[in-house]
Amino acid sequence: MKNSTKVFAVSALAGALAACGGSGSDGGSTGQTGTVSVGLTDAPAMDLSSVHIAFNTIRLKPADGDWLEFSLEETGTLDLLTLQGGVTEPLITNEEVPAGEYEEIRLIVDTENSWVTKESEADARFTLAVPSGEQSGLKLKGGFVVAADTSTSFTIDFDVRKSIVDPKGNALANFMLKPVLRLVNNLEVGILEGEVNYAQIQSVRMEDSEAADCGAGYEGAVYVFEGADVDPIDLNVERDGLNPLMVVPVKAQDEGTLYEWTAAFLTEGLYTISYSCQVDDNQLDDTLEFEGTQTLEVVAGETTVADPIPLQP
């Protein structure tokens, strides 16, 4: 495994679900209360220059109680593509809620004020359909606990790359939102990061007639898979079975010629990462050529640094 360095991302995260209270068990309502804060982050996206979602309301469902509802009027419209690489945005902060078990979160969306733009279309605005977004909302199911006598932080990861699809004429908008959301406990997550020598990879591929060229104007992305020694494949949201957990575009460093990438909010465990510089359509099976494949371990509260890509012999 690669060397890991301590970071302080957990305490610095703005996207959190935090609660505290008096003595009592972890599960079920105890009559005690805590404060709750909920924030949002985004797994990196595809050929989109912005994804604006207007959030109206957030709802929390206690296992043994009625829905709790909080207005998001002050939050307004968020560009999810600004929430990448560990960046988060608070939705509600320090709201008092009962301690105990919760079973669902819902985000109510204002469809009329939600849209996307594409760089390839000169940042023209495209409409975005959000089925049931204004009624039942975007649903994030799965139990979590607001613990008594302590503060617990969570982050909602809104994976734009998997969530936005082209309806191909079958909807009343240019794009459709099929939300893919993850809720993670901030005390249980770590970060993967690394560097890619894109210029070297591009040069070698251009000179090798048997290697696929990099996509025009595309510097590539790192694909992150759960588990060790996974054979990397493309992303296809229409496919049943194996898909990458996230696809992280590389970006140019502020200084130097290398490109860098960061995959945040990963729960503890083993992951396989691999890089490709071919363009990937998220609704088709694409034949991509991968390099730099390696298995890394995520440790809570730490940043694990991958070997530079391309790997040295």
Side-chain angles (χ1 to χ4, degrees), residues 53-184:
I53 306 291
F55 295 101
N56 277 340
T57 307
I58 184 169
R59 296 172 181 165
L60 309 179
K61 178 62 173 68
D64 298 320
D66 296 329
W67 284 95
L68 306 175
E69 183 171 301
F70 304 95
S71 172
L72 298 180
E73 290 182 359
E74 294 185 4
T75 302
T77 302
L78 297 177
D79 178 3
L80 296 183
L81 296 196
T82 64
L83 308 180
Q84 300 185 32
V87 177
T88 59
E89 178 71 23
L91 297 178
I92 58 174
T93 304
N94 295 328
E95 296 285 356
E96 186 173 352
V97 300
E101 295 182 2
Y102 287 73
E103 59 187 18
E104 187 174 344
I105 297 175
R106 293 188 182 185
L107 299 172
I108 310 302
V109 174
D110 178 359
T111 301
E112 292 186 359
N113 290 306
S114 299
W115 74 92
V116 304
T117 61
K118 296 175 63 176
E119 290 182 1
S120 59
E121 300 290 340
D123 288 331
R125 184 178 295 190
F126 294 87
T127 55
L128 179 65
V130 187
S132 300
E134 297 183 357
Q135 290 79 42
S136 58
L138 311 182
K139 303 177 183 65
L140 202 163
K141 296 186 177 182
F144 60 95
V145 175
V146 173
D149 266 346
T150 187
S151 294
T152 310
S153 297
F154 297 85
T155 295
I156 299 174
D157 183 7
F158 197 127
D159 195 328
V160 170
R161 190 179 184 95
K162 294 180 181 177
S163 299
I164 296 184
V165 298
D166 183 350
K168 303 184 186 305
N170 295 324
L172 299 177
N174 303 118
F175 290 91
M176 180 177 293
L177 184 68
K178 299 172 65 176
V180 177
L181 307 174
R182 288 192 308 138
L183 182 69
V184 296

Side-chain angles (χ1 to χ4, degrees), residues 83-313:
L83 308 180
Q84 300 185 32
V87 177
T88 59
E89 178 71 23
L91 297 178
I92 58 174
T93 304
N94 295 328
E95 296 285 356
E96 186 173 352
V97 300
E101 295 182 2
Y102 287 73
E103 59 187 18
E104 187 174 344
I105 297 175
R106 293 188 182 185
L107 299 172
I108 310 302
V109 174
D110 178 359
T111 301
E112 292 186 359
N113 290 306
S114 299
W115 74 92
V116 304
T117 61
K118 296 175 63 176
E119 290 182 1
S120 59
E121 300 290 340
D123 288 331
R125 184 178 295 190
F126 294 87
T127 55
L128 179 65
V130 187
S132 300
E134 297 183 357
Q135 290 79 42
S136 58
L138 311 182
K139 303 177 183 65
L140 202 163
K141 296 186 177 182
F144 60 95
V145 175
V146 173
D149 266 346
T150 187
S151 294
T152 310
S153 297
F154 297 85
T155 295
I156 299 174
D157 183 7
F158 197 127
D159 195 328
V160 170
R161 190 179 184 95
K162 294 180 181 177
S163 299
I164 296 184
V165 298
D166 183 350
K168 303 184 186 305
N170 295 324
L172 299 177
N174 303 118
F175 290 91
M176 180 177 293
L177 184 68
K178 299 172 65 176
V180 177
L181 307 174
R182 288 192 308 138
L183 182 69
V184 296
N185 186 324
N186 292 344
L187 294 179
E188 299 174 356
V189 297
I191 295 173
L192 296 178
E193 66 178 30
E195 296 179 333
V196 174
N197 191 332
Y198 167 69
Q200 178 183 346
I201 292 171
Q202 183 186 44
S203 176
V204 170
R205 288 187 169 275
M206 290 180 63
E207 295 176 359
D208 186 347
S209 60
E210 297 183 359
D213 289 340
C214 295
Y218 178 62
E219 291 82 16
V222 171
Y223 289 63
V224 181
F225 301 85
E226 294 181 279
D229 303 320
V230 176
D231 291 329
I233 59 173
D234 70 312
L235 170 65
N236 182 354
V237 297
E238 308 293 344
R239 178 176 59 221
D240 293 330
L242 179 65
N243 258 309
L245 176 66
M246 63 177 65
V247 180
V248 185
V250 302
K251 63 178 183 179
Q253 295 178 336
D254 293 335
E255 297 180 1
T257 60
L258 298 178
Y259 284 69
E260 59 190 8
W261 59 272
T262 299
F265 302 106
L266 296 172
T267 56
E268 285 195 329
L270 297 177
Y271 293 83
T272 300
I273 66 103
S274 196
Y275 168 82
S276 177
C277 63
Q278 283 89 53
V279 176
D280 188 355
D281 187 315
N282 75 334
Q283 292 176 263
L284 298 174
D285 285 330
D286 296 298
T287 301
L288 306 182
E289 294 183 6
F290 290 92
E291 51 193 304
T293 304
Q294 51 194 288
T295 293
L296 303 168
E297 183 177 11
V298 169
V299 179
E302 299 185 4
T303 294
T304 300
V305 181
D307 285 337
I309 301 173
L311 300 176
Q312 300 301 313

